Amino acid sequence: MIASMTNIVKRYGSNTALDHMNMTIVKGEVLGLLGPNGAGKSTAIRVLTGLTGTDAGEAQLFGKKVKGHALDLKKRIGVVPQDLALYETLPAQDNLAYFGKLYGVTGVALKERVGEVLEILGLAEVAKKAPKKFSGGMKRRLNIGCAVMHKPELLILDEPTVGIDPQSRNHILDFIEEMARQGTTVLYTSHYMEEVARLCSRILIMDGGRVIAEGSVEEITRSVLFEETLALEVKDPSAVLLENIKHIQGVVSCEAAGQKITVVSTAGAANMHRILEVAMPNIILGVTAQRPTLEDAFLALTGKTLRDGGDA
Amino acid sequence: MKFLSTFWMGVKYLWRDPVMVIVSVAFPIVIILVLGTALDSMFDPEFGANFDPPRVAVVADVDNYLSEFLEDDNVRQFLDATFTDRVHAEEMVARGYVNIAIVEQGFGQPIKILLPAQQDDLAAVALAIVDSFQQIGAAATIAAMQGRDFTHLLGVDIEITSQPLGTRIPRAVDYYAITMLVMILLYTGLNGMELFHKGIFSDTGTRMRLCPISKPVLVGGLLGASTFTSFVQGMITFTFTAVVYGVYWGERIPLVILTIFGMVLFSQALCVLLIVIFEKRNVVGGIVQVLFFVTTFVSSGFIPVNFGELNRVFRFAPNALAQTAIFGAVYGGDNASIITSLIVLLGMGGVFAALSFIVGRRRVA
């Protein structure tokens, strides 16, 4: 185990940002931290990295309490903050070199590592240019580069792809996958469900300062009972057909829009064969069984959509 | 290693900011030339010699009694007198605010008359004035009957020093080279403000706190960078004005450079304190714009102004302290007043630095 947070409570005035939060990070995994705005994700990262103290509970990194050992522990982690944190008038290579030196990388190793990171992040051609002239995506990539100059054992990324173009996003995701392949443990927070689903071997869903669900994408979606949806495409659906489907056991609703009929059944109804039997006299053009997604699971668990953090 | 890395990063960061470079280097060089050219006639020695009535600075323990005499309407037709202390009197002569300074040096000591260089013809006027003082002293024996004793003014020697404060009167360009350099040195505090804001209170500052660098090393590196950069910027103005504009910087260059360094330290301490308190760049920028304009004005940085009694207060403005030190170093002021001004300046800077440390510890804890 590389990191742990045990019964962490963190309050800001009357607001409880973390409410007895528990979390562990296992060596070599890519852990996703999901939650709506205000769920406590950033506070959790601040506690884990020693940026802020706690009102109760204990955070540990590499088997040591964060409190009292922050300076030593910081050498072994890399943190990509949510906001761009660069010296924007200094060339990209100077930014990388400076943060590399702060982590103890020097001399030839530093020079090589700067070149390597620039190459991997697709910034080699703009190495001598200042980030203030960069696109948002390029700045984001450099923001990540500054955190990995020392090849950290644990890489923490706080929503690193906010507001960037798809090309840069892919670049960043490829880079993180490569870091993980090389053995770096990753803690990744994002509003983008597909990113978490792509990168993470395990996911924690947070809400109200607590972890409310934990597991792989499959485990989390299975843990929540969903209604099942079947989409039928039928030539000239009649009112009689719709009425017959509605009478099938477990069907909650049946609605038609042109040739498309959407049938919603209760979870575990197992009535697909019966629905098809009823529809069979008509010409069936297509059948789609819609599986619940992580987004659906998140919605079911938190009652909120992920990207805007608002109530669904 | 981390200190040096932070130091050089800070230096490079400041020099790559075009606004900072324009404000700190280009602006003073231009403004000194503009003011030095436009207001040159104000500093013409002939112009100064033709003050009518003569302006006199008086340093004496008998101000209550003398003031009645000097402020009499009949006397004021011939004499425009200001009571002040010795340091300020010397400074007023050096800058051409007054034609004559009359300094009572104490019981049994000669009365000293300070005249601006190249204006020996004022000696007769000065002697007449001192003579009238002595007559007042005689009249004052009557006052002695009321318990006050001014008899020590009777019959003492008179010592006239016609070139007491250096070898020349500053031209406009010399004057503004000093006052504008001092003003810009104050503004270089914005270098410190910028580096501390970026390195501690901005998003980049958050990242810095996530890096394995101790706070003393970080603060030391940032402060070193801003101080070094500001000092270099001041020295560029100093050198440029000397070489290109032919500004007279006197014989005691090390004292001038020491004052430049002292002013840089003061301004860094002040602006760092402001950013530690307010945390927002635009707020500190606004405060600094107003504050430094006012301190420059009350220190006669833009035009020579005599604020009368208020001079006693305004001489503690940072500009005034630095100007006193530099004018003294350039135009022959005594070492004591120069060192005193520097000590007061650095003392205030030290207080600001200590406050920054105390407040900063809470803010970035």
Side-chain angles (χ1 to χ4, degrees):
Chain A
M1 189 167 62
I2 263 185
S4 69
M5 294 174 70
T6 310
N7 273 324
I8 299 287
V9 176
K10 177 65 187 174
R11 296 188 190 91
Y12 294 104
S14 59
N15 178 38
T16 302
L18 296 178
D19 183 9
H20 297 91
M21 181 188 174
N22 291 289
M23 176 178 85
T24 57
I25 304 175
V26 179
K27 186 173 171 59
E29 74 172 339
V30 180
L31 176 65
L33 201 54
L34 281 178
N37 288 336
K41 306 185 297 290
S42 293
T43 305
I45 289 176
R46 289 177 69 86
V47 168
L48 191 61
T49 54
L51 266 185
T52 189
T54 61
D55 294 303
E58 185 179 282
Q60 287 196 353
L61 275 173
F62 308 105
K64 287 183 179 173
K65 288 180 185 175
V66 172
K67 190 178 180 181
H69 299 92
L71 206 58
D72 288 339
L73 296 172
K74 283 172 185 173
K75 294 175 186 168
R76 302 173 69 179
I77 63 173
V79 184
V80 180
Q82 188 172 343
D83 299 300
L84 293 168
L86 304 164
Y87 284 96
E88 298 214 337
T89 58
L90 295 183
Q93 61 184 17
D94 285 10
N95 270 279
L96 292 173
Y98 174 58
F99 286 106
K101 285 177 191 170
L102 291 188
Y103 283 100
V105 188
T106 56
V108 178
L110 177 69
K111 198 174 175 185
E112 286 177 359
R113 183 63 178 159
V114 168
E116 193 177 291
V117 170
L118 285 168
E119 195 63 44
I120 295 169
L121 289 171
L123 298 171
E125 288 181 8
V126 291
K128 292 180 179 171
K129 287 188 178 169
K132 68 178 178 182
K133 296 173 183 167
F134 286 5
S135 69
M138 291 161 80
K139 287 180 186 173
R140 286 270 165 205
R141 281 184 264 162
L142 184 60
N143 203 34
I144 293 172
C146 292
V148 299
M149 282 299 295
H150 59 305
K151 298 182 181 174
E153 293 170 60
L154 171 63
L155 177 61
I156 300 172
L157 302 105
D158 192 1
E159 306 200 21
T161 59
V162 170
I164 61 171
D165 58 282
Q167 189 187 358
S168 284
R169 172 173 288 123
N170 277 332
H171 220 120
I172 289 171
L173 297 182
D174 289 346
F175 177 73
I176 295 167
E177 283 179 329
E178 181 57 31
M179 291 282 292
R181 261 195 294 277
Q182 291 173 9
T184 306
T185 307
V186 178
L187 173 61
Y188 188 89
T189 78
S190 176
H191 271 162
Y192 298 105
M193 203 70 68
E194 61 276 17
E195 290 180 5
V196 176
R198 172 179 161 179
L199 291 174
C200 300
S201 48
R202 193 162 64 93
I203 296 165
L204 300 182
I205 295 179
M206 286 187 73
D207 194 26
R210 308 181 73 121
V211 175
I212 56 172
E214 181 178 349
S216 65
V217 174
E218 290 73 24
E219 287 167 344
I220 288 177
T221 51
R222 263 206 312 269
S223 71
V224 181
L225 288 176
F226 289 100
E227 292 174 329
E228 294 167 356
T229 303
L230 188 69
L232 292 172
E233 208 170 338
V234 179
K235 193 172 183 184
D236 301 326
S238 62
V240 176
L241 172 62
L242 296 180
E243 206 53 38
N244 289 340
I245 291 175
K246 280 180 185 173
H247 283 98
I248 295 171
Q249 192 173 13
V251 171
V252 176
S253 68
C254 178
E255 291 173 357
Q259 292 187 333
K260 189 175 177 183
I261 301 173
T262 303
V263 184
V264 179
S265 303
T266 54
N271 57 4
M272 191 197 293
H273 69 284
R274 181 71 189 124
I275 294 169
L276 290 174
E277 269 179 18
V278 171
M280 202 63 89
N282 297 65
I283 299 171
I284 298 175
L285 303 173
V287 178
T288 311
Q290 294 175 359
R291 299 184 62 187
T293 64
L294 190 57
E295 182 104 37
D296 297 322
F298 187 87
L299 182 61
L301 286 164
T302 66
K304 297 164 186 166
T305 55
L306 187 57
R307 285 179 193 173
D308 60 12
D311 293 337
Chain B
M1 182 64 193
K2 288 174 185 175
F3 172 84
L4 281 180
S5 302
T6 304
F7 175 85
W8 283 118
M9 179 282 299
V11 171
K12 279 196 273 187
Y13 178 74
L14 289 174
W15 279 108
R16 291 181 71 97
D17 182 346
V19 176
M20 281 289 175
V21 174
I22 289 170
V23 168
S24 305
V25 179
F27 176 73
I29 286 172
V30 171
I31 199 74
I32 288 167
L33 180 64
V34 170
L35 290 175
T37 306
L39 302 178
D40 196 41
S41 62
M42 277 186 66
F43 291 80
D44 188 333
E46 288 303 312
F47 178 83
N50 290 330
F51 282 131
D52 187 20
R55 292 180 181 171
V56 180
V58 179
V59 181
D61 292 333
V62 291
D63 53 351
N64 287 337
Y65 195 81
L66 281 177
S67 64
E68 287 177 24
F69 169 73
L70 293 170
E71 289 170 4
D72 183 89
D73 285 344
N74 292 322
V75 176
R76 287 187 72 85
Q77 289 178 22
F78 305 102
L79 202 63
D80 182 1
T82 304
F83 284 96
T84 183
D85 56 49
R86 179 174 179 145
V87 172
H88 196 228
E90 290 180 355
E91 188 184 329
M92 290 170 91
V93 173
R95 296 192 197 179
Y97 298 166
V98 295
N99 306 86
I100 304 163
I102 299 170
V103 182
E104 189 209 330
Q105 302 188 103
F107 186 80
Q109 298 296 313
I111 291 174
K112 188 170 187 177
I113 298 173
L114 305 177
L115 301 176
Q118 302 151 17
Q119 294 192 29
D120 295 350
D121 53 327
L122 285 171
V125 178
L127 279 169
I129 295 169
V130 173
D131 185 49
S132 66
F133 281 12
Q134 289 180 320
Q135 289 181 37
I136 296 166
T141 53
I142 299 168
M145 292 170 68
Q146 301 168 346
R148 289 183 292 171
D149 184 3
F150 302 123
T151 52
H152 65 280
L153 285 175
L154 289 167
V156 298
D157 293 334
I158 299 170
E159 174 187 299
I160 297 180
T161 313
S162 60
Q163 293 187 334
L165 301 174
T167 57
R168 60 170 77 193
I169 293 176
R171 298 165 297 155
V173 73
D174 298 322
Y175 182 84
Y176 286 113
I178 293 174
T179 62
M180 290 297 104
L181 172 64
V182 166
M183 183 182 76
I184 289 305
L185 290 174
L186 262 186
Y187 279 104
T188 61
L190 293 174
N191 286 332
M193 183 273 286
E194 174 64 25
L195 275 188
F196 273 76
H197 177 265
K198 186 72 179 170
I200 292 178
F201 297 110
S202 70
D203 296 324
T204 308
T206 304
R207 160 164 269 163
M208 298 297 289
R209 281 188 279 148
L210 288 164
C211 292
I213 178 171
S214 67
K215 282 175 195 163
V217 171
L218 175 61
V219 168
L222 296 175
L223 195 58
S226 67
T227 303
F228 175 77
T229 303
S230 302
F231 180 68
V232 169
Q233 288 169 345
M235 288 306 295
I236 288 173
T237 303
F238 171 82
T239 308
F240 189 90
T241 54
V243 173
V244 180
Y245 297 163
V247 165
Y248 177 67
W249 287 103
E251 305 297 324
R252 292 189 283 179
I253 300 295
L255 264 182
V256 175
I257 293 174
L258 184 65
T259 308
I260 291 173
F261 188 68
M263 193 62 177
V264 165
L265 284 179
F266 169 86
S267 58
Q268 305 309 308
L270 175 59
C271 288
V272 168
L273 174 63
L274 290 173
I275 194 66
V276 166
I277 291 172
F278 296 103
E279 295 188 13
K280 290 187 169 63
R281 255 191 315 197
N282 52 350
V283 174
V284 175
I287 292 171
V288 160
Q289 292 293 338
V290 175
L291 180 67
F292 292 171
F293 182 86
V294 171
T295 59
T296 302
F297 179 72
V298 301
S299 308
S300 297
F302 299 116
I303 50 167
V305 183
N306 185 0
F307 292 97
E309 283 300 305
L310 283 175
N311 280 327
R312 292 175 188 275
V313 178
F314 291 160
R315 59 181 294 212
F316 290 101
N319 304 58
L321 290 166
Q323 286 170 195
T324 299
I326 297 179
F327 274 114
V330 176
Y331 295 101
D334 65 282
N335 284 342
S337 67
I338 297 169
I339 299 300
T340 303
S341 298
L342 268 176
I343 288 173
V344 173
L345 191 66
L346 289 173
M348 290 199 297
V351 171
F352 293 148
L355 286 172
S356 302
F357 178 75
I358 293 165
V359 178
R361 278 186 71 178
R362 292 177 172 218
R363 290 290 161 89
V364 295

